[in-house]
Amino acid sequence: MFIVDCDCHNYWCSATVLEPYMDGVFKDMFVRGEKTGPRGAFPHGHRPWFHPEGFARHDVNPVEEDDNYTIMKEKHLDKYNIDVAILTGDEPIEASTLANPYYADALCRAYNDYLIDYWLPKDDRFWGSIVVAPQDPQLAAAEIRRAGGHPRVVQVLVSHGAARPYGDPFYHPIYEACAEMGLPFAMHLGGQGGINAAPIGAGPTTFFWETHAILPQTAMTHVASLIAQGVFEKWPALKVVIIECGVAWVPSVLWRLDANYKALRKETPWLKRLPSEYFKSNIRMSTQPLEQPQNIQHLWATLEAMDGENTLMFASDYPHWDYDDVTKLHIPPAWREKVLGLNALDVYSRLPQRVREAAE
Amino acid sequence: MTTRHFACKTADVLRDAPKIVSVSNLSIGIFSLNDGYHALLNICPHKGAALCEGPVCGTTRQTSDREFVYDRAGELVRCAWHGWEFDIRSGEFLVDPTVKARRFDVSVEGDDLYLHI
């Protein structure tokens, strides 16, 4: 079985690893300024929720920077025979929470250079996500064109916490750049706080587990917005990957979108297909964490309603507290080959021929 | 094999306000457009609501990005309940033309209007 892990977090012990990749005033701010983040000391507008146990698995305890890779190799890549790991960073997507878009952009650029320089050469299985700060789409687009040309970069990544829904024409320069570079646009759960002040519809929740369970509502907003604002009519080949936002809500939102569109298509005359059809052709959902009903058939019926065989892609979320190993993925057995690897090969079109041949 | 039924006087059918008649136990809306009279069954194929009691209106033409062209004024009826838009002439639902409201032929003799059912 050919396995692509679409959400493999490359950690650092300290964000000081970025120092060599920064210069000028932003390096000055990075070295001397206030750092709001957790142990990695990365600046961001902090979320109001704290994980009571920390985010990482307790059997992953790097001391030196290189431990981050060696532990990942031993406990994840080698152990589960992962063929392709799409690296999704960790704290850098929190750059989207900063009010200062210039500093946020500088942090993203530094991270992307560090990713390319430090992580990608470490292992043939590594492919990279460059991080951009969507609060200034022009700067983000410039960064996509700058760093997105690296042959081992396979996607553009932002947080799903955002100041406005991602279909908004405000963001369209980002999709223009993604389309030009042939890169998917991915959003990962996170980025609550700072300028992304309303990730939860009715205001802040109280407990971490409660919050984590209902965070998909932000992803619902982005799915509706991307489709309604015609992003997939303007860029029909663009793929959007939604990571770690749950999946069982997808059919219900698509049903609602289709029903409302049938009554009010006149609001969005640029659409040519039903909302659910744009979803199936252009949006892909990562599996982790799959919902866990007591009766697995309830989940499978739901996944079927979203064409899960073709729209789901395996993700482990290594090394986070709710990590899924590939042997425990609760999907219909007949779907495993597609969901574990082949669907991702369609999305990550930059993965070279030799990788594709390995999948056959 | 259709049968001709007297429906109403042509003067009873106003522009933008269909005349709802009951013929052969069927409720039917008769519309007056530029090119003559058209008739649709007053039952929406979506949920059975009173299709012809909704507004006669136009809609946006399919365009490229962020361009709003109001078009076809008076040529569409929006179902009274859920707002699905139907082409009065063909009975076709705009989003999915395979969904059709049942239509009937109309003929006029003098100022009498007939439905062919």
Side-chain angles (χ1 to χ4, degrees):
Chain A
M1 190 79 71
F2 187 80
I3 300 169
V4 179
D5 179 0
C6 296
D7 186 19
C8 184
H9 291 287
N10 47 309
Y11 261 55
W12 54 41
C13 294
S14 163
T16 55
V17 295
L18 297 189
E19 280 179 27
Y21 304 98
M22 302 194 77
D23 57 19
V25 68
F26 295 120
K27 179 167 189 173
D28 178 70
M29 288 161 68
F30 184 67
V31 172
R32 298 177 53 241
E34 180 184 352
K35 295 171 187 68
T36 46
R39 66 196 183 97
F42 185 85
H44 59 81
H46 211 295
R47 61 185 170 271
W49 308 284
F50 300 88
H51 194 303
E53 296 290 328
F55 283 97
R57 274 168 43 168
H58 290 288
D59 61 339
V60 174
N61 297 300
V63 177
E64 304 289 332
E65 285 298 339
D66 283 351
D67 298 344
N68 286 292
Y69 167 65
T70 51
I71 296 172
M72 182 205 284
K73 178 172 168 8
E74 178 199 343
K75 297 194 172 185
H76 179 53
L77 302 174
D78 291 351
K79 182 172 180 188
Y80 295 104
N81 296 315
I82 305 294
D83 293 287
V84 169
I86 311 290
L87 299 182
T88 44
D90 187 58
E91 291 174 33
I93 61 167
E94 303 282 335
S96 72
T97 61
L98 295 174
N100 182 337
Y102 312 106
Y103 189 19
D105 177 64
L107 290 166
C108 289
R109 283 188 280 119
Y111 168 74
N112 294 335
D113 287 342
Y114 155 78
L115 168 81
I116 288 167
D117 204 30
Y118 178 83
W119 278 97
L120 295 184
K122 275 202 182 309
D123 198 301
D124 282 348
R125 293 168 286 192
F126 284 161
W127 300 84
S129 312
I130 54 166
V131 170
V132 296
Q135 57 269 53
D136 187 324
Q138 298 295 347
L139 290 177
E143 175 59 0
I144 293 166
R145 293 185 173 95
R146 183 191 75 91
H150 189 281
R152 296 188 73 81
V153 164
V154 294
Q155 81 182 349
V156 173
L157 183 66
V158 298
S159 74
H160 92 319
R164 54 177 104 183
Y166 278 130
D168 193 304
F170 171 78
Y171 294 116
H172 287 196
I174 294 178
Y175 307 127
E176 183 79 54
C178 285
E180 191 183 309
M181 302 302 288
L183 292 169
F185 175 81
M187 68 187 81
H188 185 293
L189 180 81
Q192 291 78 34
I195 59 164
N196 304 329
I200 303 297
T205 38
T206 308
F207 304 107
F208 180 77
W209 68 260
E210 170 200 17
T211 307
H212 188 265
I214 52 89
L215 283 175
Q217 58 178 262
T218 309
M220 295 177 199
T221 309
H222 293 313
V223 164
S225 174
L226 286 160
I227 293 170
Q229 296 274 12
V231 167
F232 305 119
E233 277 299 328
K234 286 176 86 170
W235 296 284
L238 179 74
K239 288 284 195 295
V240 168
V241 182
I242 299 180
I243 304 171
E244 208 181 339
C245 292
V247 297
W249 54 267
V250 171
S252 112
V253 169
L254 294 180
W255 292 331
R256 296 179 68 87
L257 291 173
D258 279 3
N260 288 358
Y261 173 76
K262 283 176 183 171
L264 292 167
R265 59 150 291 286
K266 73 175 185 181
E267 286 189 291
T268 52
W270 45 81
L271 296 186
K272 299 187 173 67
R273 296 188 285 152
L274 288 175
S276 60
E277 293 169 20
Y278 291 108
F279 172 84
K280 286 173 187 171
S281 59
N282 294 81
I283 298 180
R284 296 292 175 264
M285 307 294 301
S286 82
T287 54
Q288 195 281 336
L290 273 188
E291 288 80 1
Q292 301 167 61
Q294 295 204 351
N295 181 343
I296 197 70
Q297 291 299 334
H298 295 167
L299 175 66
W300 288 8
T302 307
L303 299 184
E304 199 161 18
M306 59 182 278
D307 189 24
E309 183 175 6
N310 296 302
T311 61
L312 291 173
M313 306 196 300
F314 169 69
S316 72
D317 198 27
Y318 174 90
H320 285 171
W321 64 285
D322 50 352
Y323 172 83
D324 278 351
D325 84 50
V326 71
T327 63
K328 305 287 193 315
L329 190 66
H330 286 156
I331 56 165
W335 296 7
R336 289 185 73 82
E337 208 168 349
K338 278 186 162 180
V339 173
L340 290 181
L342 300 185
N343 290 344
L345 288 182
D346 285 341
V347 170
Y348 301 111
S349 52
R350 276 211 189 163
L351 292 175
Q353 193 56 38
R354 63 176 174 75
V355 172
R356 290 164 189 283
E357 282 165 6
E360 284 165 4
Chain B
M1 185 66 191
T2 58
T3 311
R4 195 180 74 145
H5 301 266
F6 172 76
C8 60
K9 293 290 187 186
T10 53
D12 294 338
V13 186
L14 308 175
R15 279 295 169 93
D16 297 335
K19 172 73 176 170
I20 311 278
V21 299
S22 182
V23 172
S24 270
N25 284 328
L26 296 174
S27 176
I28 294 171
I30 303 171
F31 300 80
S32 170
L33 268 56
N34 292 334
D35 59 348
Y37 297 97
H38 302 270
L40 294 175
L41 184 66
N42 188 23
I43 296 177
C44 182
H46 172 220
K47 296 263 182 166
L51 170 67
C52 303
E53 292 170 38
V56 173
C57 58
T59 193
T60 50
R61 185 196 304 164
Q62 195 166 76
T63 57
S64 55
D65 193 35
R66 253 143 283 277
E67 203 186 346
F68 297 90
V69 182
Y70 191 70
D71 198 13
R72 309 191 65 191
E75 297 181 13
L76 305 171
V77 59
R78 297 179 70 85
C79 175
W81 283 13
H82 305 118
W84 286 26
E85 298 166 309
F86 291 85
D87 181 312
I88 291 170
R89 294 189 179 92
S90 65
E92 287 177 356
F93 173 39
L94 259 51
V95 171
D96 179 0
T98 65
V99 175
K100 286 192 176 100
R102 187 173 167 195
R103 59 169 298 285
F104 301 97
D105 287 336
V106 179
S107 61
V108 175
E109 282 180 27
D111 55 2
D112 289 339
L113 197 146
Y114 294 90
L115 287 169
H116 299 255
I117 298 172

